[in-house]
Amino acid sequence: MASQRALFSTSKKFKTSQLQILLADSLTIFWGDWLDLRIRIVQIAASGLISPLIYILAFGLGLGSSIKPGSGISGNYNNYLEFILPGMVALSSMTISFGGTTFSICGDRLFTKTFEELLLTPIHPLALHIGKMLAGVVRGLMTSGSVILVAVLLTGNWNFLNPLFLLLVILNCSVFAGLGVIVGLSVRSLESVGLYNNFIIIPMSFLGATFFDPSTLPAALKVVVYLLPLTYASIGLRAVAHLPLSQFPWYSIPILLMIAIALSLWGAYKFAHQQD
């Protein structure tokens, strides 16, 4: 019995040690990207703010004046601007997390040719993916933080700073930064990145419940919309910002988390089999 307890204790310590090494290696990879990101914080935050501001002006303040609560949107919102602002946070975090991560890896692989050095480091492939993903999450938070500031200034709604709201933003960034890692490892040219952006990111920007309530759609379209991870981020952020906690779609958190984990495992596999 004593030997069994000792064996269990040793196994537990070994697993804990492995987890600590994985975390340390992930932070090491992230730190290498952070040294570059920290000198471009204003640039990243400002560049990613342009598209959301255009959408806010064109749809929220322009077209939104013709959309009344209770007709085009539910009566839980005072105007259409309030309705789309959480979606703009989700949209901006998606775009920058994916694009920034993809182009960062592509630049290392296709132009500076420094990516081979990263692959030769004695680090677990999962740590490589998590480190690159964390850098993408930080990129997304820089931009979405700017949009959140704009949303608070326009509406005076401090629920945009709710911890649950921030958790959903981080999960959304994790999903699309993880996808950006996989695309960055897969493409052979920058033109290929444009294809992924045109066929995945842009359609998801408009179909991911950022501009409309998916519950009002026909059943066939609902199936398509609810297959998109951005949908769960948008409806979750909208619920935190404007609805009581009892109406929050709690299923959105495990769904986004499971997608992020699945992409992490896929990314680790890609790193393990990457040949550049």
Side-chain angles (χ1 to χ4, degrees):
M1 182 65 69
S3 62
Q4 290 179 344
R5 285 199 298 267
L7 181 62
F8 176 76
S9 177
T10 302
S11 176
K12 186 176 181 180
K13 289 180 180 178
F14 179 72
K15 291 180 180 179
T16 302
S17 176
Q18 283 186 320
L19 184 61
Q20 290 173 341
I21 293 173
L22 181 67
L23 178 60
D25 288 344
S26 300
L27 292 176
T28 299
I29 299 300
F30 163 72
W31 186 253
D33 281 8
W34 168 248
L35 294 178
D36 176 58
L37 289 174
R38 66 179 182 177
I39 62 176
R40 298 188 296 116
I41 292 178
V42 176
Q43 176 186 344
I44 294 172
S47 62
L49 187 60
I50 302 301
S51 292
L53 282 179
I54 292 174
Y55 288 134
I56 290 171
L57 291 173
F59 292 94
L61 300 177
L63 178 64
S65 60
S66 62
I67 300 176
K68 304 300 180 182
S71 56
I73 57 176
S74 72
N76 295 311
Y77 311 94
N78 294 321
N79 50 59
Y80 187 60
L81 177 63
E82 285 189 355
F83 180 83
I84 68 168
L85 280 173
M88 292 302 97
V89 175
L91 176 61
S92 63
S93 62
M94 173 192 73
T95 304
I96 299 302
S97 295
F98 173 82
T101 305
T102 302
F103 281 108
S104 173
I105 294 177
C106 283
D108 292 342
R109 286 182 57 232
L110 304 176
F111 294 100
T112 63
K113 301 296 183 180
T114 59
F115 198 72
E116 294 87 345
E117 299 176 5
L118 181 67
L119 296 177
L120 292 174
T121 56
I123 291 179
H124 194 282
L126 182 58
L128 292 173
H129 175 89
I130 293 175
K132 290 294 184 180
M133 182 193 73
L134 288 176
V137 170
V138 170
R139 288 186 182 94
L141 290 176
M142 289 178 185
T143 299
S144 57
S146 302
V147 181
I148 289 173
L149 178 61
V150 170
V152 172
L153 292 176
L154 289 177
T155 65
N157 185 351
W158 292 97
N159 284 333
F160 283 94
L161 300 178
N162 188 305
L164 187 57
F165 190 96
L166 300 178
L167 172 62
L168 282 169
V169 174
I170 292 173
L171 287 175
N172 192 51
C173 290
S174 300
V175 168
F176 289 100
L179 182 60
V181 171
I182 294 169
V183 172
L185 294 174
S186 303
V187 298
R188 296 299 177 187
S189 66
L190 289 180
E191 289 79 6
S192 300
V193 177
L195 289 176
Y196 280 97
N197 191 67
N198 289 335
F199 286 96
I200 296 178
I201 300 303
I202 292 179
M204 200 179 304
S205 299
F206 291 94
L207 298 177
T210 51
F211 298 101
F212 59 87
D213 185 354
S215 64
T216 62
L217 295 175
L221 289 179
K222 277 185 182 180
V223 173
V224 176
V225 170
Y226 279 101
L227 287 175
L228 307 177
L230 185 65
T231 299
Y232 299 97
S234 297
I235 61 177
L237 293 175
R238 193 170 288 131
V240 175
H242 298 293
L243 300 179
L245 190 61
S246 59
Q247 297 183 34
F248 178 76
W250 291 101
Y251 58 83
S252 59
I253 293 179
I255 288 176
L256 290 173
L257 181 60
M258 287 188 294
I259 294 174
I261 292 173
L263 290 173
S264 295
L265 297 177
W266 186 6
Y269 175 84
K270 292 284 292 182
F271 267 111
H273 296 81
Q274 189 71 19
Q275 294 181 353
D276 279 325

